[in-house]
Amino acid sequence: MSEAGTEGDLIVRREGSAGVIRLNRPKAINAMTLEMSLGIDAALDQFEADPAVAVIILEGAGDRGLCAGGDIRGLYESSKSGGDLGKRFWRQEYVMNARIASFPKPYVAYMDGLVMGGGVGLSAHGRHRIVTEKTKLAMPEVGLGFFPDVGGTWLLSHAPGELGTYFGLTGQTMNGPDAIHARFADTVVPSEKWPALREVLTKLRPGTLSSEVERLIEGFAIGENAGPVAALQDRIDRWFGHDSMHDIVAALEQDGSELALSILKALREKSPRGMVVTLKLLRLARNASSLQDCLVREYRAALEVFRSDDFREGVRAAIIDKDRNPRWSPPEIDAVTPEMLAPYLAEIGADELTFPQGR
């Protein structure tokens, strides 16, 4: 084993023929900072260029999860002070998300425990996405006055039927099998089998094809690929198959079932502006030609979110003061006007997200 990094917030090293990237902030459930994202990019440079590296393994330290998302507290402080961390952090992160999606070597993400927000961006764009019996995957950004970013609009818009609309607007958690059904993951491997599978991955010969890695992983899998939410597909399609939040809410109210009312309650806790922005981005993503198209659009919207009171208020209520009582602006869905939505979709000139050539 050769060490290529220090035991800081990110551990990067070779183990046999595997290039290992381990997020190492277990007390923060490995929430990702700008420095960690830059470190991951540097690790990918190193492992891509090293002919002895056959496979990338992404994992999280501790037993609570792969990654609980981005460093929201740092973004909140920068937004409050008029800083530019949002612009720098999201540009770096989104470019990295696109890189992971097209990485030329097999990229194995071990999605154990909590996988949220930025953690989804690090894993769900990878070629081999392993979930376990402990996986809890979510894109809960609307509860922070934000929207599912890191390519989340691309992923959600490719889920079957309206499941992506449902998960994106409610922030509902997926278990491992539901993550597979929603196309965020590929295989359930029991966590007790991971050490043995990991050991095999470190012994792959350089040049091993992704198809071979896939067959290898399947040998450790349990074959489950649909969880409790999959059984609700027809009802979710009926409720969320609308292009306005007003019509989605009306469909849930008209249904009146216990489940519909519980979903309504969840929606009423979210940012009205965040939900309207999310729904619009999800509908645009359905016609996008690539993940990169969605990331460009997400970056425009993210910079507008960074300037918004709703983002600061959502983070304050959830993470800073923890009173769980955000005061959204505006407080009602029907008060979100087209004029309020427009800045989230507008082109941003010299600040547009671009991707390095040749990757």
Side-chain angles (χ1 to χ4, degrees):
M1 182 188 302
S2 63
E3 193 75 25
T6 60
E7 297 281 317
D9 290 346
L10 187 71
I11 297 171
V12 175
R13 64 188 177 207
R14 275 266 311 281
E15 293 187 34
S17 60
V20 176
I21 300 173
R22 181 180 300 138
L23 310 182
N24 193 41
R25 297 183 69 205
K27 290 182 180 177
I29 319 181
N30 302 314
M32 186 172 62
T33 63
L34 174 58
E35 291 71 26
M36 290 166 71
S37 182
L38 289 165
I40 293 168
D41 233 357
L44 292 175
D45 284 341
Q46 174 188 333
F47 294 147
E48 183 175 350
D50 186 345
V53 170
V55 63
I56 311 303
I57 297 174
L58 174 77
E59 59 190 4
D63 57 6
R64 297 168 68 196
L66 171 64
C67 176
D71 182 19
I72 294 295
R73 188 179 289 268
L75 290 164
Y76 167 84
E77 296 294 347
S78 182
S79 177
K80 270 187 67 178
S81 64
D84 68 347
L85 180 59
K87 178 185 286 191
R88 293 184 293 121
F89 179 77
W90 287 318
R91 181 178 293 277
Q92 161 62 29
E93 185 178 27
Y94 295 1
V95 170
M96 180 180 63
N97 297 147
R99 182 182 192 181
I100 289 167
S102 61
F103 198 71
K105 294 183 178 182
Y107 181 103
V108 178
Y110 181 55
M111 303 163 72
D112 189 42
L114 274 181
V115 186
M116 300 171 73
V120 173
L122 288 174
S123 56
H125 298 300
R127 179 65 182 82
H128 307 283
R129 306 166 301 175
I130 297 170
V131 287
T132 76
E133 76 285 356
K134 296 187 289 185
T135 296
K136 294 180 180 178
L137 187 151
M139 300 294 285
E141 291 82 356
V142 176
L144 298 175
F146 200 27
F147 62 88
D149 67 330
V150 298
T153 61
W154 171 260
L155 293 164
L156 290 164
S157 68
H158 287 77
E162 297 296 339
L163 280 188
T165 313
Y166 165 74
F167 282 122
L169 292 174
T170 63
Q172 174 68 35
T173 299
M174 310 177 202
N175 69 3
D178 268 330
I180 294 172
H181 182 69
R183 301 176 187 158
F184 276 68
D186 303 300
T187 316
V188 178
V189 173
S191 57
E192 64 183 23
K193 291 188 177 183
W194 170 243
L197 170 55
R198 191 182 184 283
E199 178 71 14
V200 173
L201 291 171
T202 66
K203 294 178 178 175
L204 291 174
R205 69 185 186 286
T208 297
L209 299 175
S210 280
S211 57
E212 296 175 66
V213 175
E214 188 172 331
R215 284 195 296 272
L216 188 159
I217 293 170
E218 287 295 335
F220 291 81
I222 60 173
E224 197 175 356
N225 59 14
V229 176
L232 306 175
Q233 180 90 55
D234 290 346
R235 299 168 78 183
I236 286 171
D237 288 353
R238 192 165 64 247
W239 295 330
F240 285 87
H242 305 279
D243 294 336
S244 78
M245 283 306 307
H246 177 91
D247 290 343
I248 288 173
V249 168
L252 289 162
E253 288 176 338
Q254 185 174 357
D255 183 281
S257 65
E258 186 177 346
L259 177 61
L261 293 177
S262 71
I263 292 173
L264 263 178
K265 182 177 184 295
L267 292 177
R268 286 173 175 147
E269 295 169 353
K270 313 301 182 192
S271 160
R273 190 187 302 232
M275 285 189 287
V276 171
V277 169
T278 294
L279 184 59
K280 181 64 175 179
L281 290 174
L282 289 175
R283 294 300 181 253
L284 290 169
R286 283 186 170 167
N287 298 313
S289 61
S290 68
L291 166 63
Q292 290 190 2
D293 284 352
C294 289
L295 288 165
V296 167
R297 201 177 286 120
E298 289 174 13
Y299 190 66
R300 294 170 183 167
L303 296 193
E304 187 63 25
V305 165
F306 194 65
R307 293 188 282 266
S308 75
D309 290 336
D310 257 23
F311 174 65
R312 290 186 288 270
E313 178 61 10
V315 178
R316 180 206 63 77
I319 293 169
I320 308 302
D321 297 339
K322 298 182 180 178
D323 60 21
R324 307 288 173 184
N325 187 31
R327 294 179 289 277
W328 302 121
S329 175
E332 302 291 338
I333 289 166
D334 289 341
V336 181
T337 66
E339 292 74 21
M340 290 177 187
L341 178 63
Y344 293 87
L345 307 174
E347 295 181 4
I348 53 177
D351 281 334
E352 291 281 18
L353 185 67
T354 57
F355 300 90
Q357 296 300 309
R359 275 190 180 173

